[in-house]
Amino acid sequence: MALTNSQYDTIIKSFEEKQNRNRRLLEERAAYVYSHVEGYKALDDSIASISVSQGRKLLEGDDNALVELKKTIGELSSMKKQLLLSAGLPADYLDPVYDCPDCRDTGYQGNNKCHCFKQAIITMLYEQSGIQNVLESENFSSLSYDYYEGEDLTRFKNTVVTCKNFINNFNSDYHNLFFYGTVGTGKSFLSGCVAKELIENGHSVIYFSAAGLFDTLSKIKFDYKNQDGLHKEYEDLFQCDLLIVDDLGTEYTNNLINSELFSLINDRHIRQKATIISTNLSLEDFRNRYSDRVFSRITSNYEICKLTGPDIRMYKKRQQNRK
């Protein structure tokens, strides 16, 4: 599972908070029972006293002390449960309380992460991605070939295969994807499909629109007052397992943007961190808009996927309007 130290600490803290919350709940229940269920506290005190007494006998060599202790505690525990039931409370009302009984809210079963800890990681990764809500609808389960035909359909099918190979080989093969083509042909959708699958497998994914990305990079570079707060965001950009940059070419472009884009893709390439870039620009327009070194890095280190066809967003909108 891909977690930074701060993310791991955040999850561990959440488990500590669960333990403290449930401990307080048990204390409140015990206080209620002691004050409202007559005779219960006396039985609790008897168990404590007998345990000490029988423990002393055991240390003195009385081999029957442990057997007697278990028998007596069993009888007293049965009486305690009966008192709870008589008071209209569940028999297990004062049993330890856990959100996850399997790991008792520690997050671990032995040396292995519990299923609840793994789910906490995935939940955090979804929140970090920036497209949690989008991925509920844009994923492989909603993929359809119905909007394409002819060469457009062939290109889309080939790109779907490329995306699935990208996912299947993610742990063993450093790879990048570059989607380009006409508006509304599924570039952002396929990026989301990849993101969801990787997050479900515990990989950190961060999504940025091109405008949002360069706004963030600008703040990191020039917002001196908030450098400490921006440091984590900066590290995430370069360290996350997958960075998705959507709609590259829609942002205002200048020499600084070109320089920042090159630094980002070059740094992630050096670190062998995967990136997916999508753009509505043609390859020729992309090369003219950005520097030769940006174009060279992408054509050298990215698998290029062209998508064409009708604008699916507009098609769906027209269909809805007809209903």
Side-chain angles (χ1 to χ4, degrees), residues 81-126:
K81 290 181 178 180
Q82 192 57 49
L83 285 177
L84 291 175
L85 291 171
S86 299
L89 298 171
D92 62 355
Y93 189 65
L94 291 183
D95 287 355
V97 180
Y98 303 113
D99 283 18
C100 179
D102 294 334
C103 68
R104 299 185 177 183
D105 294 341
T106 63
Y108 282 82
Q109 297 186 55
N111 294 324
N112 299 317
K113 291 184 179 73
C114 181
H115 59 83
C116 65
F117 195 105
K118 294 176 181 178
Q119 185 58 52
I121 292 175
I122 291 172
T123 299
M124 174 169 283
L125 294 175
Y126 267 118

Side-chain angles (χ1 to χ4, degrees), residues 191-225:
S191 296
C193 291
V194 173
K196 182 175 176 63
E197 294 297 316
L198 291 182
I199 289 172
E200 290 291 336
N201 288 323
H203 294 288
S204 56
V205 178
I206 295 180
Y207 166 93
F208 269 104
S209 66
L213 171 67
F214 293 116
D215 181 59
T216 298
L217 289 172
S218 178
K219 288 178 181 176
I220 291 170
K221 192 175 187 68
F222 298 111
D223 192 350
Y224 303 109
K225 293 182 180 179

Side-chain angles (χ1 to χ4, degrees), residues 214 251-261 289-291:
F214 293 116
E251 78 289 347
Y252 172 75
T253 306
N254 54 31
N255 290 336
L256 177 61
I257 294 296
N258 279 328
S259 176
E260 291 296 328
L261 177 59
R289 187 181 182 99
Y290 300 98
S291 65

Side-chain angles (χ1 to χ4, degrees), residues 174 264-273 297 301:
Y174 163 66
L264 178 65
I265 62 176
N266 188 58
D267 197 301
R268 288 187 61 81
H269 173 63
I270 292 171
R271 298 177 191 227
Q272 300 282 279
K273 295 293 186 180
R297 272 288 183 272
N301 300 313

Side-chain angles (χ1 to χ4, degrees), residues 95-282:
D95 287 355
V97 180
Y98 303 113
D99 283 18
C100 179
D102 294 334
C103 68
R104 299 185 177 183
D105 294 341
T106 63
Y108 282 82
Q109 297 186 55
N111 294 324
N112 299 317
K113 291 184 179 73
C114 181
H115 59 83
C116 65
F117 195 105
K118 294 176 181 178
Q119 185 58 52
I121 292 175
I122 291 172
T123 299
M124 174 169 283
L125 294 175
Y126 267 118
E127 292 172 352
Q128 180 194 36
S129 71
I131 48 172
Q132 181 175 5
N133 294 333
V134 172
L135 298 187
E136 292 177 5
S137 58
E138 296 192 2
N139 53 68
F140 281 123
S141 66
S142 59
L143 184 146
S144 173
Y145 297 106
D146 296 342
Y147 306 104
Y148 306 88
E149 57 184 31
E151 187 178 27
D152 300 334
L153 177 59
T154 300
R155 284 174 172 163
F156 186 72
K157 283 184 173 180
N158 289 340
T159 305
V160 170
V161 171
T162 297
C163 290
K164 290 185 175 180
N165 288 336
F166 179 87
I167 294 163
N168 293 335
N169 299 323
F170 194 81
N171 291 328
S172 58
D173 180 24
Y174 163 66
H175 216 59
N176 303 295
L177 299 176
F178 183 84
F179 300 143
Y180 81 101
T182 50
V183 175
T185 49
K187 298 182 293 295
S188 298
F189 173 83
L190 289 177
S191 296
C193 291
V194 173
K196 182 175 176 63
E197 294 297 316
L198 291 182
I199 289 172
E200 290 291 336
N201 288 323
H203 294 288
S204 56
V205 178
I206 295 180
Y207 166 93
F208 269 104
S209 66
L213 171 67
F214 293 116
D215 181 59
T216 298
L217 289 172
S218 178
K219 288 178 181 176
I220 291 170
K221 192 175 187 68
F222 298 111
D223 192 350
Y224 303 109
K225 293 182 180 179
N226 296 311
Q227 285 299 302
D228 290 342
L230 293 168
H231 177 72
K232 181 181 180 300
E233 198 162 8
Y234 176 83
E235 285 299 310
D236 286 344
L237 270 176
F238 291 93
Q239 294 286 5
C240 64
D241 295 331
L242 174 65
L243 174 67
I244 297 174
V245 183
D246 197 26
D247 278 342
L248 191 62
T250 57
E251 78 289 347
Y252 172 75
T253 306
N254 54 31
N255 290 336
L256 177 61
I257 294 296
N258 279 328
S259 176
E260 291 296 328
L261 177 59
F262 177 79
S263 294
L264 178 65
I265 62 176
N266 188 58
D267 197 301
R268 288 187 61 81
H269 173 63
I270 292 171
R271 298 177 191 227
Q272 300 282 279
K273 295 293 186 180
T275 305
I276 295 178
I277 295 175
S278 70
T279 181
N280 295 327
L281 300 173
S282 67

Side-chain angles (χ1 to χ4, degrees), residues 12-31 93-99 104-106:
I12 288 296
K13 184 178 179 181
S14 73
F15 278 91
E16 291 173 350
E17 289 171 351
K18 290 178 187 177
Q19 294 170 25
N20 292 332
R21 184 188 71 240
N22 289 331
R23 191 179 299 113
R24 287 193 298 271
L25 175 60
L26 189 59
E27 290 171 353
E28 291 169 2
R29 288 182 176 183
Y93 189 65
L94 291 183
D95 287 355
V97 180
Y98 303 113
D99 283 18
R104 299 185 177 183
D105 294 341
T106 63

